[in-house]
Amino acid sequence: MLWLLGGHDPTHGAGLYRDLVTARRLAPVLPRRFTVTALTEQGHGRPARAHAVPPERLHARVSRWPPPLAIKLGLVPDELAATVADLVARTGAPVVLEDRKSVV
């Protein structure tokens, strides 16, 4: 089981969508669970913005998943950092992190 947590890029050029595409390509038989941690607004010459999902919604969803073999973390807004850290720590699974990028 692979857990994927990350932001939703409405252009599908990055974020959780790209993580799913990559996981399907590299490990097609590995079961996956995924959830959005943030909805993003991008494009039209404006700076990107991220809006965190409610922590209780994220916790309720992820706590029902089977234990992971690995976890891929994408965009995790500051408001969700403690929730995500707690969920990840409970699994003991290896974690792949992205570089931190500024989102206004």
Side-chain angles (χ1 to χ4, degrees):
M1 177 66 57
L2 173 63
W3 287 10
L4 302 159
L5 291 85
H8 170 67
D9 173 5
T11 70
H12 289 190
L16 192 55
Y17 177 79
R18 295 311 303 164
D19 291 342
L20 283 164
V21 168
T22 300
R24 285 182 186 132
R25 179 178 290 159
L26 297 177
V29 297
L30 184 64
R32 296 168 291 279
R33 295 289 188 272
F34 62 93
T35 194
V36 171
T37 56
L39 301 174
T40 63
E41 299 176 43
Q42 302 179 41
H44 307 293
R46 296 183 310 244
R49 293 179 184 218
H51 306 281
V53 300
E56 54 279 356
R57 179 176 147 201
L58 177 66
H59 190 275
R61 182 172 174 124
V62 174
S63 65
R64 295 181 303 204
W65 291 352
L69 296 173
I71 301 170
K72 165 59 173 67
L73 292 180
L75 174 64
V76 176
D78 291 341
E79 306 93 305
L80 291 179
T83 300
V84 170
D86 180 56
L87 291 167
V88 168
R90 291 179 189 199
T91 70
V95 178
V96 174
L97 301 172
E98 289 184 13
D99 289 338
R100 181 178 170 105
K101 296 182 175 91
S102 296
V103 178
V104 177

Short mmCIF file of all heavy atoms in Angstrom, two decimals, residues 14-47:
data_model
loop_
_atom_site.label_atom_id
_atom_site.label_comp_id
_atom_site.label_asym_id
_atom_site.label_seq_id
_atom_site.Cartn_x
_atom_site.Cartn_y
_atom_site.Cartn_z
N ALA A 14 1.14 19.06 -11.95
CA ALA A 14 1.96 18.80 -10.76
C ALA A 14 1.06 18.27 -9.66
O ALA A 14 -0.10 17.93 -9.89
CB ALA A 14 2.65 20.10 -10.32
N GLY A 15 1.60 18.21 -8.47
CA GLY A 15 0.81 17.84 -7.30
C GLY A 15 0.40 16.39 -7.28
O GLY A 15 1.06 15.50 -7.84
N LEU A 16 -0.69 16.15 -6.59
CA LEU A 16 -1.17 14.80 -6.35
C LEU A 16 -1.44 14.04 -7.65
O LEU A 16 -1.14 12.84 -7.75
CB LEU A 16 -2.44 14.87 -5.49
CG LEU A 16 -2.96 13.59 -4.89
CD1 LEU A 16 -1.90 12.88 -4.06
CD2 LEU A 16 -4.17 13.88 -4.03
N TYR A 17 -1.97 14.72 -8.64
CA TYR A 17 -2.24 14.06 -9.92
C TYR A 17 -0.96 13.48 -10.52
O TYR A 17 -0.92 12.34 -10.97
CB TYR A 17 -2.89 15.03 -10.90
CG TYR A 17 -3.12 14.41 -12.25
CD1 TYR A 17 -4.21 13.55 -12.46
CD2 TYR A 17 -2.26 14.65 -13.31
CE1 TYR A 17 -4.42 12.96 -13.68
CE2 TYR A 17 -2.47 14.06 -14.54
CZ TYR A 17 -3.54 13.22 -14.73
OH TYR A 17 -3.75 12.62 -15.94
N ARG A 18 0.11 14.26 -10.53
CA ARG A 18 1.38 13.78 -11.10
C ARG A 18 1.95 12.65 -10.26
O ARG A 18 2.55 11.71 -10.79
CB ARG A 18 2.41 14.91 -11.21
CG ARG A 18 2.05 16.02 -12.16
CD ARG A 18 1.61 15.59 -13.55
NE ARG A 18 2.55 14.77 -14.28
CZ ARG A 18 2.22 14.04 -15.36
NH1 ARG A 18 0.99 14.03 -15.81
NH2 ARG A 18 3.10 13.34 -15.98
N ASP A 19 1.78 12.71 -8.94
CA ASP A 19 2.24 11.62 -8.08
C ASP A 19 1.50 10.32 -8.43
O ASP A 19 2.11 9.24 -8.46
CB ASP A 19 2.03 11.95 -6.61
CG ASP A 19 2.94 13.06 -6.11
OD1 ASP A 19 3.96 13.36 -6.78
OD2 ASP A 19 2.63 13.64 -5.05
N LEU A 20 0.20 10.41 -8.69
CA LEU A 20 -0.57 9.23 -9.07
C LEU A 20 -0.09 8.66 -10.40
O LEU A 20 0.06 7.45 -10.55
CB LEU A 20 -2.05 9.57 -9.15
CG LEU A 20 -2.78 9.67 -7.83
CD1 LEU A 20 -4.11 10.37 -8.00
CD2 LEU A 20 -2.96 8.30 -7.21
N VAL A 21 0.15 9.52 -11.36
CA VAL A 21 0.65 9.07 -12.67
C VAL A 21 1.99 8.36 -12.51
O VAL A 21 2.22 7.29 -13.07
CB VAL A 21 0.76 10.27 -13.65
CG1 VAL A 21 1.53 9.89 -14.90
CG2 VAL A 21 -0.63 10.79 -14.00
N THR A 22 2.87 8.95 -11.72
CA THR A 22 4.20 8.36 -11.49
C THR A 22 4.08 7.01 -10.78
O THR A 22 4.75 6.04 -11.17
CB THR A 22 5.08 9.32 -10.68
OG1 THR A 22 5.20 10.54 -11.42
CG2 THR A 22 6.45 8.74 -10.43
N ALA A 23 3.24 6.94 -9.77
CA ALA A 23 3.07 5.68 -9.04
C ALA A 23 2.51 4.59 -9.96
O ALA A 23 2.96 3.44 -9.91
CB ALA A 23 2.14 5.89 -7.84
N ARG A 24 1.56 4.93 -10.79
CA ARG A 24 1.00 3.95 -11.72
C ARG A 24 2.05 3.46 -12.71
O ARG A 24 2.06 2.30 -13.09
CB ARG A 24 -0.18 4.54 -12.47
CG ARG A 24 -1.41 4.66 -11.64
CD ARG A 24 -2.59 5.20 -12.43
NE ARG A 24 -3.70 5.43 -11.55
CZ ARG A 24 -4.41 6.54 -11.51
NH1 ARG A 24 -4.15 7.52 -12.34
NH2 ARG A 24 -5.40 6.66 -10.66
N ARG A 25 2.92 4.36 -13.13
CA ARG A 25 3.95 3.99 -14.10
C ARG A 25 5.04 3.13 -13.47
O ARG A 25 5.47 2.14 -14.05
CB ARG A 25 4.58 5.24 -14.71
CG ARG A 25 5.69 4.89 -15.71
CD ARG A 25 6.30 6.09 -16.35
NE ARG A 25 5.30 6.68 -17.24
CZ ARG A 25 5.33 7.93 -17.65
NH1 ARG A 25 6.28 8.73 -17.24
NH2 ARG A 25 4.43 8.38 -18.47
N LEU A 26 5.50 3.51 -12.27
CA LEU A 26 6.63 2.81 -11.65
C LEU A 26 6.23 1.57 -10.86
O LEU A 26 7.05 0.67 -10.70
CB LEU A 26 7.39 3.78 -10.74
CG LEU A 26 8.03 4.98 -11.44
CD1 LEU A 26 8.70 5.89 -10.43
CD2 LEU A 26 9.02 4.51 -12.50
N ALA A 27 5.03 1.55 -10.34
CA ALA A 27 4.58 0.41 -9.53
C ALA A 27 3.11 0.13 -9.81
O ALA A 27 2.24 0.34 -8.96
CB ALA A 27 4.81 0.70 -8.05
N PRO A 28 2.81 -0.35 -11.01
CA PRO A 28 1.41 -0.50 -11.41
C PRO A 28 0.58 -1.45 -10.55
O PRO A 28 -0.63 -1.29 -10.46
CB PRO A 28 1.49 -1.00 -12.86
CG PRO A 28 2.86 -1.53 -13.02
CD PRO A 28 3.73 -0.80 -12.05
N VAL A 29 1.20 -2.42 -9.90
CA VAL A 29 0.43 -3.37 -9.11
C VAL A 29 0.34 -2.98 -7.63
O VAL A 29 -0.41 -3.60 -6.87
CB VAL A 29 1.00 -4.81 -9.23
CG1 VAL A 29 0.90 -5.29 -10.66
CG2 VAL A 29 2.41 -4.88 -8.71
N LEU A 30 1.08 -1.97 -7.23
CA LEU A 30 1.06 -1.54 -5.83
C LEU A 30 -0.23 -0.77 -5.54
O LEU A 30 -0.52 0.23 -6.19
CB LEU A 30 2.26 -0.64 -5.53
CG LEU A 30 2.44 -0.17 -4.09
CD1 LEU A 30 2.69 -1.37 -3.17
CD2 LEU A 30 3.59 0.81 -3.99
N PRO A 31 -1.04 -1.25 -4.59
CA PRO A 31 -2.27 -0.51 -4.25
C PRO A 31 -1.94 0.87 -3.69
O PRO A 31 -0.91 1.05 -3.03
CB PRO A 31 -2.94 -1.38 -3.18
CG PRO A 31 -2.18 -2.64 -3.12
CD PRO A 31 -0.87 -2.44 -3.78
N ARG A 32 -2.81 1.82 -3.97
CA ARG A 32 -2.59 3.20 -3.55
C ARG A 32 -3.83 3.76 -2.88
O ARG A 32 -4.95 3.41 -3.22
CB ARG A 32 -2.28 4.08 -4.77
CG ARG A 32 -1.02 3.73 -5.50
CD ARG A 32 -0.95 4.44 -6.84
NE ARG A 32 -1.92 3.97 -7.82
CZ ARG A 32 -1.77 2.89 -8.56
NH1 ARG A 32 -0.72 2.14 -8.43
NH2 ARG A 32 -2.68 2.54 -9.44
N ARG A 33 -3.59 4.67 -1.94
CA ARG A 33 -4.64 5.50 -1.37
C ARG A 33 -4.13 6.93 -1.48
O ARG A 33 -2.93 7.18 -1.28
CB ARG A 33 -4.90 5.17 0.10
CG ARG A 33 -5.45 3.80 0.36
CD ARG A 33 -6.91 3.70 -0.13
NE ARG A 33 -7.51 2.44 0.27
CZ ARG A 33 -7.46 1.32 -0.43
NH1 ARG A 33 -6.83 1.29 -1.57
NH2 ARG A 33 -8.05 0.23 0.00
N PHE A 34 -5.01 7.85 -1.80
CA PHE A 34 -4.56 9.24 -1.94
C PHE A 34 -5.61 10.18 -1.41
O PHE A 34 -6.80 9.86 -1.37
CB PHE A 34 -4.24 9.56 -3.40
CG PHE A 34 -5.42 9.45 -4.32
CD1 PHE A 34 -6.21 10.55 -4.60
CD2 PHE A 34 -5.73 8.23 -4.91
CE1 PHE A 34 -7.30 10.45 -5.46
CE2 PHE A 34 -6.82 8.11 -5.77
CZ PHE A 34 -7.61 9.23 -6.03
N THR A 35 -5.15 11.34 -0.99
CA THR A 35 -6.06 12.39 -0.54
C THR A 35 -5.41 13.75 -0.73
O THR A 35 -4.18 13.87 -0.70
CB THR A 35 -6.50 12.19 0.91
OG1 THR A 35 -7.62 13.04 1.16
CG2 THR A 35 -5.40 12.48 1.90
N VAL A 36 -6.24 14.73 -0.92
CA VAL A 36 -5.80 16.11 -1.12
C VAL A 36 -5.57 16.77 0.24
O VAL A 36 -6.41 16.67 1.13
CB VAL A 36 -6.86 16.90 -1.92
CG1 VAL A 36 -6.54 18.38 -1.96
CG2 VAL A 36 -6.99 16.32 -3.32
N THR A 37 -4.42 17.43 0.38
CA THR A 37 -4.13 18.19 1.59
C THR A 37 -4.42 19.67 1.41
O THR A 37 -4.63 20.39 2.38
CB THR A 37 -2.65 18.04 1.98
OG1 THR A 37 -1.84 18.45 0.87
CG2 THR A 37 -2.33 16.61 2.37
N ALA A 38 -4.41 20.13 0.14
CA ALA A 38 -4.65 21.54 -0.15
C ALA A 38 -5.19 21.70 -1.56
O ALA A 38 -4.78 20.98 -2.46
CB ALA A 38 -3.36 22.34 0.00
N LEU A 39 -6.10 22.62 -1.71
CA LEU A 39 -6.58 23.02 -3.03
C LEU A 39 -5.79 24.25 -3.43
O LEU A 39 -5.62 25.17 -2.62
CB LEU A 39 -8.08 23.33 -2.97
CG LEU A 39 -8.95 22.17 -2.51
CD1 LEU A 39 -10.39 22.64 -2.35
CD2 LEU A 39 -8.87 21.01 -3.48
N THR A 40 -5.32 24.27 -4.66
CA THR A 40 -4.50 25.39 -5.09
C THR A 40 -5.18 26.19 -6.18
O THR A 40 -5.99 25.67 -6.95
CB THR A 40 -3.11 24.92 -5.60
OG1 THR A 40 -3.29 24.10 -6.76
CG2 THR A 40 -2.36 24.17 -4.53
N GLU A 41 -4.84 27.48 -6.23
CA GLU A 41 -5.26 28.38 -7.30
C GLU A 41 -3.99 28.80 -8.01
O GLU A 41 -3.03 29.23 -7.36
CB GLU A 41 -5.93 29.62 -6.73
CG GLU A 41 -7.17 29.37 -5.93
CD GLU A 41 -7.70 30.66 -5.32
OE1 GLU A 41 -7.72 31.70 -6.02
OE2 GLU A 41 -8.04 30.63 -4.14
N GLN A 42 -3.98 28.68 -9.33
CA GLN A 42 -2.78 29.01 -10.09
C GLN A 42 -3.16 29.63 -11.42
O GLN A 42 -4.27 29.47 -11.89
CB GLN A 42 -1.97 27.74 -10.36
CG GLN A 42 -1.58 27.01 -9.10
CD GLN A 42 -0.80 25.75 -9.40
OE1 GLN A 42 0.05 25.75 -10.29
NE2 GLN A 42 -1.07 24.70 -8.67
N GLY A 43 -2.17 30.31 -12.00
CA GLY A 43 -2.32 30.79 -13.36
C GLY A 43 -2.81 32.22 -13.48
O GLY A 43 -2.98 32.93 -12.49
N HIS A 44 -3.01 32.62 -14.72
CA HIS A 44 -3.48 33.95 -15.07
C HIS A 44 -2.57 35.05 -14.53
O HIS A 44 -3.05 36.13 -14.17
CB HIS A 44 -4.93 34.17 -14.61
CG HIS A 44 -5.87 33.11 -15.08
ND1 HIS A 44 -6.18 32.92 -16.42
CD2 HIS A 44 -6.54 32.14 -14.41
CE1 HIS A 44 -7.01 31.91 -16.53
NE2 HIS A 44 -7.23 31.41 -15.34
N GLY A 45 -1.27 34.77 -14.42
CA GLY A 45 -0.32 35.78 -13.98
C GLY A 45 -0.34 36.10 -12.50
O GLY A 45 0.36 36.98 -12.04
N ARG A 46 -1.17 35.40 -11.74
CA ARG A 46 -1.25 35.63 -10.29
C ARG A 46 -0.34 34.65 -9.56
O ARG A 46 -0.09 33.55 -10.05
CB ARG A 46 -2.68 35.43 -9.80
CG ARG A 46 -3.67 36.41 -10.38
CD ARG A 46 -5.04 36.18 -9.76
NE ARG A 46 -5.41 34.78 -9.84
CZ ARG A 46 -6.44 34.31 -10.54
NH1 ARG A 46 -7.19 35.12 -11.24
NH2 ARG A 46 -6.72 33.04 -10.56
N PRO A 47 0.10 35.04 -8.35
CA PRO A 47 0.85 34.07 -7.53
C PRO A 47 -0.04 32.90 -7.13
O PRO A 47 -1.26 33.06 -7.01
CB PRO A 47 1.26 34.87 -6.29
CG PRO A 47 0.89 36.28 -6.55
CD PRO A 47 -0.04 36.33 -7.71
#
